[in-house]
Structure formats: C-alpha cells, structure tokens
C-alpha cells in the first residue's frame, strides 16, 4: 500500500467519523424525552415568561427549522454546519455562536497546543529514561507518576491555583488578562498575559507528562527486550546508539497514543480552563451550560469534535510518514 | 586455540527462582574449525552462545567459569570494551531470532553504517561500497540496502543478517539456528552461503547451533551435544553419527529426518518425556528419566570423560 | 518456597492498592446509616474553618464537609461501580466477539470501536446530559457507562484475538461446541484477569467522569457526590477565598481512590505480564 493510499483511506475514515459524530450531536437530544429542544417548543405553545425570551426562542425555532420534519431539520443542520453557521446564542442574543467561538478559540489553542507538545516531549523523555535506568530512578518515578496521573487534572488545577495563585500569590489565580490591562501589543500587556498563562499551562503540562511518561516507560521496556536491541548489542553497538533506536521506535506508538488520548485530554482542558476562568471555549461551555444556552453548547461541542478529528487525522498522517511498516502495509490502523 | 570456554555457568535470575541454563560447560574451537552444537529446544544452546560474549544482560547472570578468546580472558573486559573491541569485529553473531533482528524503522544501509561507525572511522562512501560487496557475496542485490526489514522475505532477512554480522570480517561467527525459521529451500541456500563465506575466509571459525542434528552433518567438523544445560558428548562429526556413545545422542540421531529421504513415521524411535526443569538441581544423570538404559548406577553424578578420543557424560556408554 | 516468594513479590502493588480502596469503601458505606448528620443540611455559616464541631469545616451552604465527604464518597463509588460494570459489560461483549469471531464481524465492530475512541467521550456525555434535566445516581451511572466502553473493547479484542488459534479452542470447535459454549467455557475464563483489570480501570473512569461532569454543571442532581462538592467549591470560588477545606478533602478522596485502583490494576498487570515486573 502506498503512502498516498494510506492517506486517502485515513481521510475517508475520518470523514465517516465526522458524519457519525455530528449526526449523534443532532440525534441524541431529539431522542430523549424532555430534551431542551422540545422543551423550548413546548414552552412556546404555553406562553413564555418574557417577550424578549419569546423573540429568542422564535429565532431559534426558525434557525433550526424546528417546525419542519426531522429529516429536513437534519439536512438544514448539515448545510449550516458546512457553512459555519452555528445559530444565535440565547444568553448573548443576538450574538452568533460562530462569532463567540471565533473569539474564544484562539485562547484555547494557544493554551492547549504548546501544553500538549511540551508535556508530550518531556513525558516521553522521562519515560524512556526511567525504562532504560530501571533502577532507583524508575522506582521513584513510577509511583510518583502514578500518583500524579491518578490525581485528576481538575484537582491538580485547583491545588495549583490555591498554592501558587492564592497562598503564595506568585501568579494571578484566574482570568486570561487583568481587567485593568488594556489589550495591546505592549510589553506590559504581554507580561500580564504570560503571568495569567503560567498556571493553566503548567497544570496541563504536568498532567500530560504523567500519562505520557507511563506509556513511554512501558513501550520502552517492551522495545528494550526486542530482538533487534539484543542483536545491536551483540554487534557491539554503543548504548547511546541503542537508546536512540529504542527511543525512536517506542515513540511511534506514542504518536498514536497521543491521538487517542486527545479524547480524555479534551475533558481535562475544558475543566482546567473553567478552574482558572481562562477565556477559552471551555469556560464558555461552562457558562452556556449554566444558562441553558443550547445553541452555544451545541456549537462548542461541534467545534471541539471537529478540532479533535483534525488533530487525529494529522497525527495519523505523520505516523504513516514516520513508520516504514505502514508503507509496507504490514500494520493495520487502530 | 581460538576460543576456549572453561567451566562456564550462567543463570537467569528471576523473582520466582534461578534457571541454570548453562551448567559447567567446557569446550574449545580451533582456528579454521566449525563446531556444531545440537540439543532439544530449551536445553540452553542460545544461552551458551550468548554467554560467550560475556555481556550477561539481566536477568542473565554469570555464575562461574571463563571464556578465553585468543588467550585473552573476556572477564577482564568491561561492557564498553567488549562491545568496542570484541563484538562485531572478533566475535560476531547470527542470532536465533534473525527474523526480528533488524530494527524495523531503519534501512539495511543505515544499520550497516551504524555497525561500521561503532568500530571504525571510514567514509560513508566506503561503508556503502563494503556493505554492497558483502551483500553481493550473499547473492543479494544492491537495492536491498535501501529496504526496510518489512520489505524483505524470510530467506532474504536471514541472509541480510548474515551479511551484517560478517560485515567486519569477524574471526569467529556464532550462528544460532540460522535455518530453523526458514522453509526447506531457503534452508539449503543459507547453509550453502555460510559454507561459501567460510571457504572464502570471511570468517575463520564458526559455531553453528541447531536443534536438528542433521543440519550440522555436512557442515561441522566437530559436534557438541547439549542436554539440560550440560554438554553430554563432544566428538568429530563422522564418529558421532556413526557410533554415538551417549544414549541421548543416539536418540537424537534416531529421531532425525533426513531431508529428501522419505522416512516412515513409525520407524523413527521417538524420545518420550521432556527434559528436566532447569530450576531443579539434579546431581545425577539428567537424562535418567528418559533413558531406556538407565539403572541404579546412573543415580550418581556423571562426569564428562574422554573415551575413544571423544568426551562423553555416561559411564554406561560402553555397555549399551 | 518459590510460590510463596512469587506471591509476596506480586502482591505488593495489588495489596497496597486493595487495602487503600477497601478502607475507603468500608468507611464510606458503613458510616452513613449511623450518621446523625444529614449531608445536605445547612447547619453552619458559609465556609467555616475546621473546628471541633465541624472537623473539616463547612462549605458554601454551611454544610458539614466531613459528613458530605463520607456520603459523597459513597455516591461516587456507587456511580463508579455501576458505570464501570456497564462499560465493562459492553466493552467485553464487543471485544470478545470482534476478537474471537474475526472476519467481517471484527471489521464492523472494530470500526465502530475506533470511531468512538476518537470522538471524545466527554462531548457525548455533555450532549446526553444536557438533554436530561433530572439525573439520579442510576441515570448518571448509565450515561457514564454507555459512553466509556471503547477502551475496554479495544483491550479485550486484542486478547481475544490471541486466543483464537489456541489448541483448546480448535478442539472445542472440532467437538462441535456452539459459539456461545466456546465463548463461555473456552474464551472468557482465559480473559478473566483482563476483564477484571478493565473493570478496575472503568470504575475509576466512572468516578473521574462523574466529577468532571459535575464540575461542568451536569452531575447528579439532589445528592452529594465528590463531584458536586468540587462543583460548589468551584462555583463559590473557595480556592480564591482560601477555604481549602472545601476542595482539598474531595480532591484528595478522588485522588486516593483512583490511585488505589491504578495501583491494583498495575499489580495485576504484572502478575499477568511478568515482563513488566522489575527484574533485579
Ligand atoms: N530471557 C529469559 N528469561 C528467563 N528464562 C530464559 C530466558 N531465555 C531463556 N530462558 C530459559 O533458559 C533455558 C534455555 O533457553 P535457551 O538458551 O533459549 O535454549 P535453546 O536455545 O537451547 O532452545 C530455557 O529453559 C528457557 O526457558
Ligand atoms: Mg535457542
């Protein structure tokens, strides 16, 4: 199988996954009795508390075509999705969901991408080192990372907020920038942004390190016992060289591992943002849930899904590029 | 004498106990000689082969004895020196697991370069030329250099490993079951290639290991028979086949299928039972439980003694 | 002697993990029936620091944190158990059929599993939970259970695949045993340890996800759980106020529970895969 074919197959697979995911987001609420959508429609019939709410709901019913048959609703939903039309927010009426997300997403990406990368790299280095040393270092590292990875990201986030943000007061405990600061490209504002960035960033990195190190340690131990490592030793290759072999080969599954752990990371990053009141989409999701802002909830869920699928697709493509076994068609996906 | 192994013992030390896979083994290999080692799977052949390198990665542990290479005791070399000065250049291996011995994410060329770089300082161009020549000697095309392990067939992998192992022209090649993972036709080719390399002087001496005695018949000058971690008989190939002295050797020869000849199953005297657990310390003859000739006399320690110009570990050998 | 030594070496992680977990389990289940306090009763003032009356202080509603902690742990463990059982059941069923049957059955089931592996479960959880206004402990467990099976399916499938060519299974087939018989008597017993391991992990996943959902405002309603304790601590900014007693006890409880479960799982893993064991 050529690399091009591999990419094509992956692409089709992710397209299928995209349709299933978005369809689930459409169907699930409509399947459950008493769901927010039918609740709104019912409320319209029996009179709504305020006139402004009535206007909000009317536009919702119109936007979502709720007076039409479900099949047509679905087609509209898909059409709107492809046009990036995610409806109007209830809580910030008449602001569009797309616009709100557009403002929040850069904050989230600027926090997540560096945190995941740094955590992934550090975690892998640490895990490989632990596997190679096996001795005291490993004996200490393993329980510590087990404890750290057993500590849920939100607990770690709250603890860090309390210790470094409140008790020691080293960093601002919450927010993306100071209320008093004026957003501009000045040095002071950058410092302000960075100081707010530190705590959420470090807590995300710490969690990622823990889980990646454990995975990498296991993969490296596996690689350490492989025949090619023994053979390299018998041919007189230096440890340094052998370690680089092991590192590279143990790292490959870690790329897929990273892709798969996105699913869990998403939850972690949403709540980390909430704890630190960081102005990303996690915090917006939190507010939307509190205020029953259904269009915003749905919009954020869709955007996160699509982002995660894209990230996964990208990692799969990279993996296929780095591992010759894929090109030779020896391994299947998954 | 090129290689001298003296009273060598090695164990796998595991949390649940110690497995003495090599127990007090002594033998030697001369320059220009091919020594065959045969025995059932699990009797410690691979462990013995590996112990010669004196590396002993855990859980394998050196228990006693020594290995002399050209008169130098390998005990006096540390891990780094062994790899730099002995392994790959003086003693080289074709491991049992050749099918998985190539790093799956490196091209053959790059593995070859790594081997050169570990031992000498020559240009990349020269490395490439030398690697190409060695492949050529093994009837492998130049294009193989750019391939990954997954792109090679079983027989090709085995030959690539042989090429890589002999890249630096080692004095002693230790080939551990070089044919057992292959189909019959590839087996023949690989054996022929090994013989050719030996004739061409690519390596001076060889230890070849197999669980099938017959593989060694036309290749080895002398054969050592191993059973449950011990050597039970050592002698010249022809004499071993003609007149085996140890009952286990007899059984091995009897249970051999000669390729090409059709032998009916019923006529092969099969060896019932299984070898003893290497975790247990047995002070008498280890073949006792399976030996058709065993009697009370065998219930005591058997030494490897010389008889008729051969070494044998069975005092009843003569009578049977 | 060997056996004993072996058991001793194996038990260390498993034993410590199991002891921690069972201590927590027993305290949180044995205490509530005798409790004189109602965890939902607002007795004191907001965020009273620890005192002899309130050993762990009070929360934002003036409720006794210690009582809440014990009742909440019980709720969380209950949810974890039910959700974990559901997820393990679904995951094992899918994994066994995919891995054992192979062919098209495997293709379809594996594709489904992979799809649900890349869609973050928390998003599906949100979509479902938003649609259900009142979430009892049972409903909460159900929602958590039906969204977290893919990991288990994947792990069990891999193990079931390795069984397919075993001698005893071929024999059973030759003997004309039915698919159900083979799976019940020849496949499942060999997977038992993996299923138990998966279950342990699923229980902790259930507990962790309950808390995450609660912090999003989608936790169980009308009850106290470790998650809802954290939820209120978060909403009323206890960290910024400095009321550490409102968030450290539930946070620590969750950490200890998941740590003990991970430890037990890792210990079992070492029993099943000796390769992972530290070799001295
Ligand atoms: N890495 C290892 N760890 C523990 N025991 C081993 C290991 N490798 C081999 N053994 C044990 O040592 C004994 C000898 O094995 P081996 O040298 O591979 O035999 P052979 O090559 O003759 O088949 C066997 O009982 C085997 O189970
Ligand atoms: Mg062997």
């Amino acid at each position: 199988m050529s690399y091009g074919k591999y990419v094509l197959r992956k692409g089709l697979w992710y397209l299928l996954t995209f349709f299933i995911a978005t369809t689930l987001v459409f169907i699930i609420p409509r399947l459950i009795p008493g769901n927010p959508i039918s609740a709104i429609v019912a409320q319209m019939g029996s009179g709504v508390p305020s006139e402004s709410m009535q206007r909000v709901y009317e536009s919702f019913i119109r936007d979502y075509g709720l007076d039409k048959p479900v099949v047509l609703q679905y087609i509209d939903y898909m059409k709107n999705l492809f046009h990036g039309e995610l409806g109007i927010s209830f809580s910030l009426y008449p602001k569009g969901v797309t616009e709100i997300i557009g403002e929040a997403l850069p904050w989230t990406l600027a926090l997540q991408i560096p945190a995941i990368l740094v955590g992934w790299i550090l975690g892998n280095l640490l895990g490989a080192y632990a596997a190679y040393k096996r001795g005291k270092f490993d004996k200490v590292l393993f329980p510590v990372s087990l404890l750290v990875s057993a500590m849920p990201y939100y607990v770690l986030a709250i603890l860090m907020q309390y210790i470094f943000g409140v008790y020691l007061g080293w960093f601002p405990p919450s927010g993306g920038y100071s209320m008093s600061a004026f957003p501009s490209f000045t040095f002071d504002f950058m410092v302000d942004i960075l100081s707010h960035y530190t705590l959420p960033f470090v807590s995300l990195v710490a969690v990622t390190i823990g889980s990646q190190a454990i995975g990498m340690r296991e993969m490296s131990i596996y690689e350490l016992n492989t025949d090619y490592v023994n053979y390299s030793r018998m041919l007189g290759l230096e440890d340094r060289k052998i370690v680089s072999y092991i590192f590279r080969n143990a790292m490959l599954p870690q790329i897929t591992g990273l892709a798969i752990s996105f699913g869990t990371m998403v939850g972690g990053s949403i709540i980390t943002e909430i704890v630190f009141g960081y102005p990303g989409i996690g915090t917006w999701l939190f507010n939307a849930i509190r205020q029953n802002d259904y269009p915003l909830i749905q919009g954020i869920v869709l955007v996160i899904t699509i982002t995660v699928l894209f990230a996964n697709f990208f990692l799969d493509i990279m993996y296929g590029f780095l591992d010759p076994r894929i090109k030779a068609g020896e391994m299947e996906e998954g | 004498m090129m290689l001298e192994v003296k009273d060598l013992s090695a164990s796998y030390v595991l949390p649940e106990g110690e497995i003495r896979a090599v127990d007090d083994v002594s033998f030697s290999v001369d320059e220009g000689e091919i020594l065959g080692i045969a025995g059932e799977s699990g009797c410690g052949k691979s462990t013995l082969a590996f112990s010669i390198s004196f590396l002993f990665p855990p859980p394998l542990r050196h228990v006693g004895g020594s290995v002399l290479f050209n008169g130098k005791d390998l005990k006096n070399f540390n891990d780094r020196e062994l790899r730099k000065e002995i392994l790959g250049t003086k003693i080289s291996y074709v491991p049992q697991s050749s099918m998985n011995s190539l790093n799956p994410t490196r091209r053959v060329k790059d593995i070859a370069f790594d081997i050169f770089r570990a031992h000498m300082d020559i240009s990349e161009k020269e490395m490439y030329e030398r690697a190409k020549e060695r492949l050529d000697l093994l009837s492998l095309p130049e294009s193989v250099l750019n391939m990954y392990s997954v792109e090679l067939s079983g027989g090709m992998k085995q030959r690539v490993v042989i090429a890589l192992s002999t890249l630096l022209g080692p004095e002693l090649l230790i080939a551990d079951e070089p044919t057992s993972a292959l189909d019959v036709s590839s087996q023949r080719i690989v054996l022929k290639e090994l013989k050719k390399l030996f004739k061409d002087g690519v390596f001076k001496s060889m230890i070849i290991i197999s669980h099938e005695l017959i593989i060694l018949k036309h290749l080895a000058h002398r054969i050592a028979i191993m059973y449950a971690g011990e050597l039970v008989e050592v002698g010249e190939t022809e004499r071993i086949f003609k007149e085996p002295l140890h009952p286990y050797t007899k059984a091995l020869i009897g249970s051999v299928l000669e390729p090409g000849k059709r032998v009916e199953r019923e006529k092969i005297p099969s060896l019932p039972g299984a070898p003893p657990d290497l975790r247990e310390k047995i002070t008498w003859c280890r073949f006792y439980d399976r030996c058709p000739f065993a009697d009370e006399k065998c219930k005591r320690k058997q030494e490897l003694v010389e008889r008729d110009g051969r070494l044998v570990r069975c005092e009843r050998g003569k009578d049977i | 002697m060997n056996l004993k030594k072996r058991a001793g070496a194996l038990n260390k992680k498993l034993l410590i993990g199991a002891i921690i977990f069972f201590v927590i389990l027993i305290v949180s289940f044995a205490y509530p029936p005798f409790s004189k306090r109602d965890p939902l009763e607002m007795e004191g003032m907001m965020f009273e620091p620890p005192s002899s009356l309130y050993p762990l202080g009070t929360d934002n509603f003036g409720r006794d944190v210690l009582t809440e902690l014990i009742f909440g742990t019980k709720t969380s463990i209950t949810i974890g158990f039910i959700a974990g059982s559901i997820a393990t059941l679904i995951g094992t069923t899918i994994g066994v059929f995919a891995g054992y049957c192979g062919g098209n059955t495997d293709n379809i089931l594996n594709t489904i599993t992979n799809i649900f592996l890349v869609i973050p479960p928390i998003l599906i959880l949100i979509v479902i939970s938003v649609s259900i206004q009142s979430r009892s402990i049972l409903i909460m467990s159900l929602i958590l259970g039906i969204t977290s099976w893919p990991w288990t399916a994947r792990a069990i499938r891999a193990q079931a695949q390795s069984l397919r060519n075993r001698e005893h299974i071929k024999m059973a087939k030759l003997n004309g045993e039915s698919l159900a018989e083979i799976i019940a008597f020849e496949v499942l017993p060999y997977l038992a340890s993996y299923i138990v391991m998966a279950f342990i992990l699923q229980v902790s996943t259930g507990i962790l996800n309950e808390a995450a959902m609660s912090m999003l405002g989608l936790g169980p309603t009308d009850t106290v759980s470790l998650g809802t304790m954290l939820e209120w601590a978060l909403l009323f900014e206890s960290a910024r106020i400095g009321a550490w007693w409102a968030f450290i006890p539930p946070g620590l409880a969750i950490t200890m529970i998941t740590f003990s479960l991970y430890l037990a799982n890792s210990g079992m893993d070492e029993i099943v895969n000796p390769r992972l064991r530290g070799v001295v």
Side-chain angles (χ1 to χ4, degrees), chain B residues 97-204:
Chain B
S97 47
S98 289
M99 293 305 114
N100 302 314
S101 285
L102 298 173
N103 185 343
T105 62
R106 261 179 118 57
R107 294 176 198 277
V108 171
K109 174 178 73 181
D110 295 318
I111 301 176
F113 289 3
D114 288 342
I115 298 169
F116 280 121
R117 286 202 187 99
H119 299 286
M120 53 180 64
D121 198 14
I122 54 174
S123 73
E124 205 156 281
K125 199 163 152 258
E126 192 173 350
M127 293 194 273
Y128 188 89
E129 282 307 315
R130 285 207 202 178
K132 195 180 89 180
E133 269 169 39
R134 185 48 40 87
L135 286 183
D136 194 46
L137 208 55
L138 282 150
S139 330
L140 289 164
E142 185 181 347
S143 58
V144 165
L145 282 172
N146 271 319
M147 290 186 180
Y148 291 101
S149 162
V150 282
E151 298 170 273
L152 302 166
S153 71
M156 280 166 95
K157 261 185 234 176
Q158 186 68 55
R159 279 187 283 160
V160 167
V161 169
I162 292 173
L164 291 172
S165 298
T166 56
L167 213 49
L168 306 175
E171 295 182 29
L172 173 68
L173 183 71
I174 302 179
D176 192 356
E177 313 247 10
T179 59
S180 55
L182 305 175
D183 59 82
V184 179
S185 65
S186 304
Q187 283 189 4
R188 286 227 182 85
I189 297 175
V190 164
L191 288 176
K192 229 162 76 195
E193 305 280 6
L194 278 174
K195 209 166 186 169
K196 191 170 94 188
L197 292 179
F198 176 69
K199 287 244 167 74
D200 286 359
V202 170
F203 50 83
K204 292 185 189 133

Side-chain angles (χ1 to χ4, degrees), chain A residues 71-317:
Chain A
V71 180
L72 290 181
Q73 284 181 35
Y74 180 68
I75 293 171
D76 277 357
Y77 164 85
M78 278 298 177
K79 249 196 232 154
N80 287 338
L81 191 58
F82 274 103
H83 290 117
E85 266 306 322
L86 296 171
I88 308 286
S89 155
F90 288 173
S91 54
L92 290 175
Y93 190 83
K95 206 167 179 180
V97 168
T98 314
E99 195 185 338
I100 298 175
I101 294 176
E103 285 166 22
L105 199 58
W107 288 95
T108 297
L109 294 181
L111 178 63
Q112 296 299 325
I113 295 175
I116 291 175
L117 282 181
V118 171
W120 188 75
I121 292 170
L122 290 181
N124 281 328
L125 287 172
L126 213 64
Y129 190 71
Y132 197 69
K133 282 295 171 203
R134 282 316 273 285
K136 277 198 191 105
F137 182 69
D138 187 30
K139 283 211 173 77
V140 176
L141 180 90
F142 184 67
V144 169
S145 10
L146 202 64
L147 189 65
V148 170
S149 70
M151 178 175 287
Y153 39 83
Y154 36 82
V155 173
L156 186 73
I158 298 179
L159 279 182
M160 293 210 16
Q161 181 186 34
Y162 176 65
I163 295 171
F164 298 105
V166 178
Y167 189 74
L168 296 172
W170 290 354
F171 301 97
S174 74
Y177 51 90
S178 306
M179 285 305 164
S180 55
F182 184 72
S184 61
F185 282 102
T186 61
F187 180 74
D188 283 351
F189 186 67
M190 289 296 142
V191 169
D192 185 58
I193 291 259
L194 275 182
S195 69
H196 282 84
Y197 187 81
T198 309
L199 285 181
F201 175 77
V202 172
S203 74
L204 281 172
V205 167
V207 173
T208 317
I209 286 183
S211 59
Q212 294 299 319
I214 289 180
M216 184 63 175
R217 174 181 171 273
E218 235 157 78
M219 277 320 302
S220 304
I221 290 177
Y222 172 81
E223 291 290 331
L224 208 56
N225 290 318
T226 49
D227 295 322
Y228 74 82
V229 166
N230 264 324
Y231 183 49
S232 309
R233 245 190 232 128
M234 292 186 205
L235 286 175
L237 264 58
E238 296 157 4
D239 263 350
R240 208 157 31 96
K241 192 85 218 169
I242 296 177
V243 169
S244 79
Y245 280 7
I246 294 173
F247 190 66
R248 175 174 173 162
N249 292 354
M251 194 97 142
L252 285 173
Q254 286 291 97
I255 295 180
T256 340
L258 179 66
I260 289 171
S261 47
F262 272 143
T264 6
M265 282 183 187
V266 166
S269 44
I270 291 175
I271 294 175
T272 305
E273 279 187 11
I274 297 172
V275 168
F276 290 104
Y278 207 73
I281 53 175
T283 302
W284 278 103
L285 178 64
F286 179 75
N287 293 333
I289 290 173
R290 301 271 157 199
Q291 298 172 12
N292 279 323
D293 187 345
Y294 186 75
L296 188 52
I297 298 174
Q298 179 188 288
I300 291 178
V301 166
L302 285 172
V303 166
I304 297 177
T305 308
I306 293 167
T307 316
V308 169
L309 290 185
F310 257 108
N312 270 299
F313 181 53
F314 174 73
L315 284 179
D316 272 349
I317 300 291

